[in-house]
Amino acid sequence: MNSLREYGSLIPKPTVMDILDILLVACLFYWIFMLIRQTPAFRILKSIGLILVVFALTRILQMHALNFVLNFVLELGAFALIIIFQPELRRGLEHIGARRFMEYFSGRDTSKQSEYVVEQLVLACEKFSQSRTGALIVLERTTPLEHYFTNGTIIDAKVSEELLANIFFPKAALHDGALIIQGERAAAAACVLPLTENSRLSSDLGTRHRAGIGMSEATDAVVVIVSEETGIISVAVGGHLKRHLEPETLQKLLIQELGLREENQPNLLDRLKRHFTGEEKDHEK
């Protein structure tokens, strides 16, 4: 018993900084997990984890030849990871640079859209759905989107149902491409968006949906998509696509995602708690 106490006395007591250090590391790993969990890189990461397990077993079982080969693969793999995870690293750095540090913990948004913009957008999307007019609309939040204007046409006009109808009129010059909304202004139209690299998407999703999902992966923007073939209204946020939305559901979702009411997104600590207690649900439908 005394020996156990002696060993126990050798273990240093955790300080406040130690606890803070552990929490920050946990937050970092959670943020990385959330960043890549719906991307092809996540499957690569699982494969690397399996290789590490096999590597540990070969060392325990003293399988020297296989252990040597795996050790060589892991050494080269450390450099290959930088290339493999380049899109995820770039997206993560863009998110960090575009958001204030405390926003990761507060969960508050700094989007400047108003409920007027949401109402006009919902009215337009309802008519687009009925007439099966394709539309791709990007709502800027905290990540600046000016560099997507370069391949589009600057509009800088107040958002209205009539303006949206004119832009996405099938025979209009600006019909193809995306409309980017900043605040209450339609900033640019006919913009080209990055396509998602997610290979798990349904085969019935066309270029418009893949561009919307890709934009939501590359930025924190909210992307509204109306299918030209089916008239189905969808919203892409954070790489997740929510489909088959009715106008009322679309309005509630946009108000919540844009933080226009007191329905702010959960902060980082809340998301950690939900994830590890099993309460977090996958929003993709």
Side-chain angles (χ1 to χ4, degrees):
M1 194 67 181
N2 292 331
S3 60
L4 290 175
R5 290 178 179 176
E6 291 177 0
Y7 283 120
S9 63
L10 296 176
I11 301 175
K13 294 182 180 180
T15 64
V16 175
M17 292 304 299
D18 292 331
I19 296 174
L20 180 60
D21 188 23
I22 294 172
L23 285 175
L24 289 175
V25 171
C27 291
L28 175 63
F29 277 100
Y30 176 79
W31 176 72
I32 294 173
F33 171 77
M34 294 298 292
L35 188 66
I36 68 171
R37 64 172 181 170
Q38 295 295 331
T39 65
F42 186 60
R43 294 194 297 275
I44 298 174
L45 194 62
K46 290 193 292 186
S47 301
I48 294 173
L50 179 61
I51 294 175
L52 289 174
V53 172
V54 175
F55 176 75
L57 288 175
T58 57
R59 175 165 293 185
I60 294 173
L61 300 175
Q62 297 184 351
M63 302 171 69
H64 302 294
L66 185 56
N67 183 267
F68 174 79
V69 173
L70 291 177
N71 185 56
F72 180 73
V73 169
L74 290 173
E75 287 179 357
L76 292 179
F79 296 98
L81 284 178
I82 299 176
I83 300 174
I84 293 172
F85 289 98
Q86 186 269 338
E88 286 72 25
L89 291 171
R90 177 175 54 82
R91 186 167 74 248
L93 291 174
E94 285 178 352
H95 285 181
I96 292 174
R99 300 187 66 180
R100 297 185 182 92
F101 176 76
M102 290 308 297
E103 287 177 7
Y104 290 105
F105 297 91
S106 66
R108 294 181 179 178
D109 234 320
T110 59
S111 57
K112 299 178 182 178
Q113 281 82 14
S114 66
E115 289 194 40
Y116 166 78
V117 172
V118 172
E119 290 172 1
Q120 296 298 306
L121 193 152
V122 170
L123 289 173
C125 287
E126 184 176 9
K127 292 184 177 179
F128 293 157
S129 178
Q130 294 170 353
S131 61
R132 295 194 176 183
T133 300
L136 182 57
I137 304 170
V138 181
L139 296 168
E140 184 186 72
R141 291 205 279 189
T142 59
T143 305
L145 304 179
E146 282 81 3
H147 62 285
Y148 292 101
F149 298 177
T150 56
N151 50 36
T153 301
I154 303 297
I155 296 178
D156 191 24
K158 186 175 181 180
V159 174
S160 67
E161 178 189 352
E162 294 76 15
L163 177 65
L164 297 177
N166 289 331
I167 291 174
F168 291 106
F169 181 69
K171 295 182 180 180
L174 302 178
H175 171 69
D176 292 327
L179 169 68
I180 298 178
I181 296 178
Q182 292 180 313
E184 295 189 351
R185 311 289 292 179
C191 299
V192 178
L193 306 183
L195 298 179
T196 180
E197 298 180 0
N198 189 348
S199 59
R200 299 171 59 187
L201 295 176
S202 174
S203 59
D204 64 341
L205 296 178
T207 304
R208 185 175 284 111
H209 289 84
R210 295 178 184 275
I213 296 171
M215 187 66 166
S216 73
E217 290 174 343
T219 69
D220 68 344
V222 179
V223 186
V224 181
I225 309 152
V226 181
S227 172
E228 191 172 5
E229 289 76 20
T230 63
I232 294 174
I233 302 174
S234 308
V235 171
V237 180
H240 301 284
L241 184 68
K242 302 179 183 181
R243 305 184 68 191
H244 302 281
L245 300 177
E246 295 296 329
E248 296 80 8
T249 308
L250 173 64
Q251 184 169 5
K252 292 180 181 178
L253 179 60
L254 292 179
I255 288 174
Q256 179 179 353
E257 291 293 342
L258 297 173
L260 299 179
R261 295 179 184 170
E262 295 182 358
E263 299 175 358
N264 289 330
Q265 298 178 352
N267 59 41
L268 181 57
L269 296 179
D270 289 339
R271 292 199 296 267
L272 279 171
K273 181 180 178 181
R274 291 182 184 181
H275 178 72
F276 289 110
T277 56
E279 295 177 7
E280 182 174 294
K281 298 180 180 179
D282 188 3
H283 293 294
E284 183 173 2
K285 294 184 178 179

